[in-house]
Amino acid sequence: MTILLDGGPRMRRDEFRLLRDLVNQRSGMYFDDASFFVFERRLRERARALELGDFTSYYQYLRFHPRGPEELDEAIDALVTNETYFFREEYQLRAFADDVLPRLRAQAEAAYRRRLVIWSAGCSTGEEVYTLAILVLRSRLFEGWDVRVFGNDISRRVLGIARRAVYPRHSFRAMPPQYEEYFEPDAGGRRVADRVRALCQFGHFNLMERERAAILGRVDAIFCRNVLIYFDTESRRKVIESFYDRLQPGGFLMLGHSESLLHVSTAFELAHLATDMVYRRPLGTASLAPRPGDVGDARSGDGEGRR
Amino acid sequence: MTTEDDVETRRARALRIQRGQEGPAAIGALLADEDWRVRKQAAEAAAAHLADDMVRETLVLGLLQPDDVGLRNAAVEAFVRAEPSLAPVVGRALVGALDRATPTARKFVCAALVGAGREAIEPLARLADEDDVMTACAAVEALVSLARRGIARPAIGRLLGEALARPEPVVRLAALDGLGAAGVVIEADALRAALEDPVTSAAAIGVLGRARGTGVSELLLAALPREHTTVEAAIALVRHGDLDGEPTRGRTLAVLRTLPVGLRARLAMAARERGADDARAAARILLEAGPTEDGRDVLAAVVDLGVRAELDPGCRAALLAWGQEGVALLLELVRERMPDDVSAASWALEAAADLASLCPSSHGSAVAELARALLAHGEDVAAKAGARALAHFGTAEDATLLAAAAQAMGPSFESLAAESVAAIAERTGAAPPGIRRARRTSRPGLVAADGARLRRDLASDDPSARASALDALGHLDERETVELVAMALADEDEEVQIAALRALSRARGADARAEAARSARVLLEGASSPVRAEALHTLSLLGGFDRDDRSEVLLSHLADASPQVVIAALRALGVSAASGPDVEAALEHALAHDDPEVVKETLHVMARRPDGATRARIVASLAHPHWSVRTRAAELLGNEVQKDASARAALEARATVETDELVLRAIGAALASGGADA
């Protein structure tokens, strides 16, 4: 299927609805009726790659085939226009580096903890993960600490790109020149330096899978920028609740500039930084009782034992 | 206990009440809880207990009290979630509450009345007529909510039309917003006053696109060149279908071509910024006008829209009409957007390649050059765009580039690269380089079966290579070749097994087909469900179920635990000669399956066996719980309406109670296929 020429099966409205509902069940993302042509064009390619002649067969493949869930993740990746690059929304990153990181250091020290964990939720091709790691390194506030920057995504394809850590020129279009030292030349563009990569890890799971997120333990900051816009209201609430669970008391939640928690959650408080406003899990809240499968508490070193 | 633990405890209590594990006595306190999560759960619990007088009265009091906003919202939510069976009870409770309600509280009673369904229409009609403007607006909004649910749209359309006659602009705007959002169709005359009022004219134009009656086109055309209504009029013209047929199409295009640059710029902005449907309408208007002096800006907006939301058929057809000039402008945009906006550059290149392939074009080499640049970019979307463009204009050397790129980029790119390579080979006559891991996209017969080569390929340690070798085979004419392919059925890799089954389905000649069927039958037992499903399909193609003694094999698979296998068995049954009481019993069983996909497939099989009993079952499926089954049943009955009055009667009866929009559309189409007014 090409952009202007009809070269493959047409999608029926009932097929669109079935596929859309399946995507919603799997990922929490909701696509309105206007997304019909996006579904038709982008999923047609996937159906053809699987040699399926119509969208009903593709839908049944997603539902019944052992590789259906994997294919569904790739279909979702194809549907979402997820463009990212290094130092995207730089003003917010500056606020993070100048304001948030010092606060996180102070909070961790007060709890006798020398560990910093940052979660890039829905990390796509990984530029945000490496950007955050670079900011932590450059701050020099956490030398000798256990620092981890973790990125998750639903698409194996983008995670593969993230792990390769080699990026073409357009990924650097917003990067200030003072960060050049964190990259090395590569045939495919530029490669992220090893000392940055050493701080970073990637994982494959869906933001709706709250239990899987427990693998991270407690984190100090979460970046989830321009991801939740695809979610329906109920799914957005569930994801935000999951974020609240994962954050240390006093931990920060950074959303995209057009996103807010209005009508979603009153559990977070607004934190006024010098150049930005962000959300924070209130400092006063004690840790949650561990949930089954939650391995974080034992590693958090925050001095609070299991109940 | 911590604060979070308290919240969780209270929320869990509300959930127990909802599930009937605890009585509803505590519901009032939970509805007034300080935490929104508890209130939300309590609203769901209250909705489950609306038959209880105490619960209803608690909710009504919550609606009427003036201080607690959270409690009031929770009460509204509980009523709105009412089960349809409780609509009369809910309606009575809320109408009774009106006597006690302050003007402020009446607004919330209006919102809650949505839960009363059709019972709410009459009281809301009265409320929409009240002198208090806020109450009237709330009533209008509630009516719109009902229409959105598919309830009594014609009646609500009339009521909204009456609200348009109110003197207060805020009520008229609420009615106009409702007419647009609820998809209610009204007469154009009802909009004339709103069109003349500067406060409401833009909103009225938006509704006019869906209006009936004479003079709609005139009104829209008149609004098109006016600065504050250009965008709404353009969108409405597309919605009204004025670009799809005569006689106004010519006049519309004439107006479009004379629009000042400033107004076209507004339309381009709308194509970039509005929601997808409106954006496509704006883009189509711009494209229909054809290349103008600002054609590059128009196409830039179209490219941005394409990346964001793709084009609909109307936009695509309009862009195709731009011909060579469109190609040149799109190629300029590719150069401009590279390398920073890869998505836009890729989209523009593909569009240019499509356009250039249809018109005698001198741009082929330019397309190919940019395609190579995108292929080399490395980004997945760019490489795919490059590959697709090279399919049209690539050379034999480009085929080699694509094969190399396929190696580097992995599975998601391979099949596309293979298609492009095959297209280049067909056009140039040059032998295509192999793409080792790509799946077959060639047509049967492209590769003759070569025993020695096949043995070598099937000995590869790469399962994708083994599967590709099988996929590339054409027809199998010799029994010996069939036997060689059949040995691949024992491969440890499932994809290879499936490729072998597909290859066997291409056996020709009695001997070869018999051997292929015998081999395929082995995989009906013990293999995974995808393999068994493929085996059933292969046997069906080979005529493996044509004999009565084979039908028991099919019947046993109709009762399989895997829906995928059941569906494959149903499809095989549909083309077989199997019949008899056992087959009918098996179909009955499948019709009661949990999975809607199985039920739909069963209906298809039944529809090919037209008799009174099966028709009755298809009719009964019009009431199936899952909307997609009801849709399919309607479509199948639509094939019968011309010759069977009972099919028509069943569809018409269902239309009076159906609430799902897609099902209603299917019923309407089914009736229309029989010549009825749908």
Side-chain angles (χ1 to χ4, degrees), chain B residues 31 89-90 164 178 191 242 247 252 374 440 518 539 541 578 583:
Chain B
L31 283 165
V89 163
V90 166
L164 285 179
L191 292 167
D242 279 348
T252 304
L374 281 174
R440 178 182 73 92
R518 188 195 67 75
L539 280 165
L541 289 173
V583 171

Side-chain angles (χ1 to χ4, degrees), chain A residues 130 157 159-167 191-192 197, chain B residues 408-409:
Chain A
Y130 294 123
R157 180 188 70 84
L159 286 174
I161 295 171
R163 290 182 194 281
R164 279 197 292 277
V166 174
Y167 295 92
R191 174 197 295 273
V192 178
R197 294 177 72 183
Chain B
M409 294 200 64

